[in-house]
Amino acid sequence: MADVYLVRPGLEWKEPYLDFYREWIDSGEDIVPWVVERDPSDFEAMLQWLEDHSNGIGLQEGWVADSTYWLAAENRIVGAVNIRHALSPWLMDRGGHIGYGIRPSARRQGYATKLLALSLGKTRELGIQQVLVCCDESNVASARTILNNGGVEDTSFTEENGNVIRRFWIEG
């Protein structure tokens, strides 16, 4: 695996990020984390929106501040993570502190495990002692990634549509 590191979203990453975004869109898959769904056509406005969210500015009712980072490898964006600074009741059940995703072409190469490990460093910087990470029961690869990073499974949560969310705690 190439040397990988987290980067703050910035103008210098515009073309690699747009390539990352287009791959997700073209795949037709659900985009994870949710912030990647944000249309980047006005890239500077998207960057400002991400920065505002990190500072708790302009949040929807009931939302918490969250920071987004991109996983870079050789001038390419291979993944993204959204770190919630606190847990709302909704996040306690099904979202957790950390949501992450790897672009389809970069999966099964160890990037998710590295992304989660680096993200745990960011949660420590935020002073989060116990980190909640969730995944759908059907997402075996994500559950393995969480377990590989020290996740201890807690009770699952079943959504209204019957989807089961597995919940894991990791010591910060």
Side-chain angles (χ1 to χ4, degrees), residues 17-165:
Y17 182 80
L18 292 176
D19 182 61
F20 168 81
Y21 176 79
R22 280 190 293 273
E23 183 176 324
W24 270 107
I25 295 298
D26 292 347
S27 76
E29 296 179 16
D30 290 340
I31 298 174
V32 180
W34 69 275
V35 292
V36 178
E37 294 176 2
R38 181 97 178 166
D39 182 357
S41 55
D42 183 343
F43 198 75
E44 288 184 36
M46 182 195 73
L47 292 176
Q48 185 61 56
W49 180 80
L50 291 171
E51 184 64 26
D52 287 349
H53 265 240
S54 182
N55 292 312
I57 299 169
L59 301 177
Q60 294 181 33
E61 180 75 26
W63 288 43
V64 300
D66 60 87
S67 298
T68 297
Y69 297 91
W70 298 334
L71 185 67
E74 300 176 352
N75 292 326
R76 187 170 173 241
I77 301 297
V78 295
V81 62
N82 180 252
I83 300 171
R84 278 71 78 162
H85 301 184
L87 293 176
S88 66
W90 192 92
L91 290 171
M92 181 62 88
D93 291 336
R94 55 187 109 194
H97 286 101
I98 298 175
Y100 61 91
I102 301 296
R103 69 190 298 161
S105 66
R107 294 190 187 136
R108 301 187 191 284
Q109 298 174 42
Y111 289 120
T113 299
K114 186 67 173 173
L115 176 56
L116 183 52
L118 292 169
S119 301
L120 291 168
K122 296 298 183 184
T123 60
R124 278 190 290 280
E125 290 174 15
L126 290 168
I128 301 170
Q129 304 294 321
Q130 297 260 45
V131 180
L132 179 63
V133 186
C134 302
C135 68
D136 287 348
E137 185 176 52
S138 62
N139 193 339
V140 176
S142 188
R144 188 171 41 251
T145 295
I146 297 165
L147 290 167
N148 286 342
N149 275 280
V152 176
E153 193 156 6
D154 198 352
T155 56
S156 295
F157 176 81
T158 303
E159 296 179 297
E160 296 76 17
N161 65 3
N163 183 52
V164 176
I165 306 286

